[in-house]
Structure formats: structure tokens, C-alpha cells
Amino acid sequence: KFRIILIIFSLIGLALALFLAYEYAQPQPIGCPLHAGNSANPCETVRQSEYSKLLGVELPYWGTIFFVIMIVSLIVYLIKKKWLLSKFIESRIDLYFLGLSIFGIAFETYYFFLQLFVIKAVCTWCVMVWAVVLSVFVINLVSLRGSLRGVFK
């Protein structure tokens, strides 16, 4: 049940990351949903900042990789679940998904604070990705809590 919800949220995140990757490849400014038009476009300000790349690769591509890893891992888990032998093994898989989501939320939160305090512009699209990753993290926490309960009974 939790895994299907994670796949749905990960697909939403993948769609956002792919959209941003497409927008980054375009020469015109990114359309920002909450931009009033009478001031600097915050999404474009973030895009043009020195923080829009990691290791020379634009951040939407990293987001795409993150969500693809999450989706592929979840699908493999769901297909191979019948081969799991115990709750103990399943809880370790839950730790893997939690680890992925901790990595994602740590990076997204760091990037959000960079936008607030260093770039001084907040991209609405980036906040949407942050909300999706936060949801994935919370779902993983709830799922892990349920799995561990079965291990320690």
C-alpha cells in the first residue's frame, strides 16, 4: 500500500524534474507559476544562479536520476516481494528507501535554504519538488515504523 503511494509521488516528482530539465534546455526564461510579472522572475533567478548546477550538471537532471532510482527500486521491490523471506529482510529494504528519501530531503531542504538566504529568490517549481520529496520521506517513515513493529514482536 505504501509502495504504491510512493510510486505515485515519485512519478509526480519525475514529471516535475523532467519539466524543469526541459525548461532549463530552453533559451527563454522559465515560466514561474507565482511570478506576478512586474518583478524579477524568481525561477529564472534560481536557474541563472551559480547554485543551479552540481558537479557541472543542472539540478533538474539530478532530480530526474533520483526519481528514476526511486521508481525503479520500488517496481523491482514490488515484483520481487514474494521472494522476501521475513519481516527482518523487508525492514532492511524499508531502510534503503528511507535512506534514499533522507538523501533527497536533505538536499532539497539545503537547496531551499540556499534559495531563501543566498540566492534570495524562491523558485515555485523547486518548492513543488521539495514538497514531493518531503512527502516521500514522511511516507517512508510511516512505512518503516510499521515494518519494524513486525520485526520486534
Side-chain angles (χ1 to χ4, degrees):
K1 176 174 136 178
F2 287 117
R3 300 294 175 238
I4 300 300
I5 296 169
L6 281 173
I7 288 175
I8 292 168
F9 273 95
S10 295
L11 286 169
I12 292 168
L14 179 61
L16 286 167
L18 287 171
F19 169 77
L20 283 169
Y22 171 80
E23 286 290 316
Y24 267 56
Q26 303 308 307
Q28 68 269 15
I30 295 174
C32 194
L34 299 180
H35 178 237
N38 55 357
S39 62
N41 177 337
C43 294
E44 188 61 20
T45 301
V46 170
R47 173 188 174 186
Q48 296 299 325
S49 79
E50 64 184 289
Y51 302 100
S52 67
K53 292 183 180 181
L54 178 65
L55 302 174
V57 178
E58 293 171 329
L59 292 180
Y61 297 106
W62 289 111
T64 300
I65 291 167
F66 172 80
F67 287 114
V68 166
I69 289 170
M70 185 68 80
I71 292 165
V72 169
S73 297
L74 286 162
I75 291 171
V76 167
Y77 168 79
L78 289 173
I79 290 170
K80 303 244 181 217
K81 185 177 178 177
K82 62 184 176 187
W83 294 342
L84 293 176
L85 302 175
S86 69
K87 283 285 188 185
F88 181 79
I89 293 172
E90 188 170 347
S91 72
R92 296 309 179 257
I93 290 169
D94 287 338
L95 287 173
Y96 165 77
F97 288 118
L98 181 64
L100 275 177
S101 64
I102 287 171
F103 174 79
I105 195 62
F107 182 81
E108 284 295 330
T109 301
Y110 166 74
Y111 196 60
F112 178 71
F113 280 100
L114 271 178
Q115 289 178 61
L116 278 176
F117 300 112
V118 178
I119 302 170
K120 299 194 186 314
V122 177
C123 171
T124 308
W125 296 111
C126 300
V127 172
M128 286 188 234
V129 173
W130 177 78
V132 169
V133 174
L134 178 62
S135 299
V136 166
F137 172 71
V138 170
I139 293 164
N140 272 304
L141 277 180
V142 171
S143 173
L144 181 66
R145 186 174 151 244
S147 295
L148 289 179
R149 197 173 311 147
V151 170
F152 295 111
K153 281 188 176 182

